[in-house]
Amino acid sequence: MIKELWQNFPRLIEEKINALLDEAEPSQAKAFQLYKTCQQENLWSESFEKFSEHLDHFFALPKHDRRKSELDRLLDRPMHSSVFAGFHLNFRTASVSSRSVAGLANWAHNLMRVGYKTDSAVISMDVLTKTLHYITHPPFFEKAENIEFEDFCAAWKKTVFGLFGKKYDAELDKIVSELRWLQTQIKNEEKALQKSGFVPTIYLTQTEIDWTEAVLRAVSDNTDIPKYPLSKGPQKQRLVDLVRTISLYKIVQTTKLPEFIEHRDKIRATIIDRCEKLLNECAR
C-alpha cells in the first residue's frame, strides 16, 4: 500500500492540493464582492450577514451539488449564468481550512518519510505546512488554481531556501529528482493507455458502481456509509479489500481520542483513493 501511494505521489499531491478548494469557503473579501454583485443585479435586498449565512449553506454542500438552482432558491430571483460564474473560487479568493492544510502536510510528510526513507529537514511538517500555505495563499504572480506537481516543487524549493538558504539543496534535489522520475513513469503509463485505448482493470456491475459512488460520497461528506447491497458480500478482491477497510473505518469514525484521529484520517483517505480508482478504472 505504501509503495503504491509513493509511486503515485506526484499525481496524488496534485489532486489533494486542488481538492482543498472543494471544501473551501469564500474569503471575507470575496463574500462581500459577491454580496455587492447580487445587490447591483437586484438579486438580494437584505443584509450582508443574512447573505453570508446563505453563502455558508451553499459552500457547505458537496461540490457536485453546488448548482445554480440551489443559489436561485436562496436569492430574490434567479441569477444570470455570468453572475453564477463569479461564485467559482480559487486560492486567491477562497478561505482554505488550516486544519485541512495541516492534514495534507502530515500525509505528505509521512509518505515521504516512509516511501523515500528519510528524516531530512526538507520534509519536516513545518516545511511542508509552509509550502502548502504558500500555494493556498498565492502572491499575485503565482497560480491560484489547477496546481500541478511542478508548482508544488517550485513552492517547496522557495520555502526551503527561505528557511535554510542553500544548506539542504543537495538533499532536496535528490528527493525532487526521484519524484520527477515517478511523475515521468505516471505520464508514460497515461500515454500508453491513450495510444492503446482505455483498458479497464476491473469490471463492475451497475450495482457495484452505484455502491462505490455512494461510499465515496458518504466518506467525503462524513455521513453513514451504506452497506454492501448483496447479501453474499463482494466477490472481487478489490471490493473485498474496500469492505474490510470500511469496517476498520467505522470502528474509529466517531472517535475523540487523539491517538486514533490521525489513524482515522489515513483510513478515510485510503477509502477515498480506492473508490476513485475503482470508478476510474472500471468498465462501464
Side-chain angles (χ1 to χ4, degrees), residues 48 75 77 108 120 129-130 160 228 241 262:
F48 174 63
L75 298 173
R77 65 185 181 87
S120 171
T129 301
K130 284 183 167 64
V160 171
Y228 190 78
D241 292 340
E262 181 181 343

Side-chain angles (χ1 to χ4, degrees), residues 26 43-44 46-61 70-71 73-76 87:
L43 300 170
W44 185 256
E46 297 187 54
S47 67
F48 174 63
E49 288 72 22
K50 186 68 175 176
F51 181 80
S52 296
E53 289 178 13
H54 287 325
L55 270 188
D56 290 344
H57 168 79
F58 179 71
F59 283 97
L61 295 172
E70 185 65 27
L71 279 172
R73 187 179 64 80
L74 301 172
L75 298 173
D76 295 344
F87 282 77

Side-chain angles (χ1 to χ4, degrees), residues 23-43:
E23 59 182 62
E25 299 176 349
S27 65
Q28 195 71 4
K30 177 64 174 177
F32 190 73
Q33 179 255 315
L34 291 172
Y35 163 70
K36 296 301 291 184
T37 298
C38 288
Q39 273 195 326
Q40 292 165 6
E41 296 290 328
N42 296 317
L43 300 170

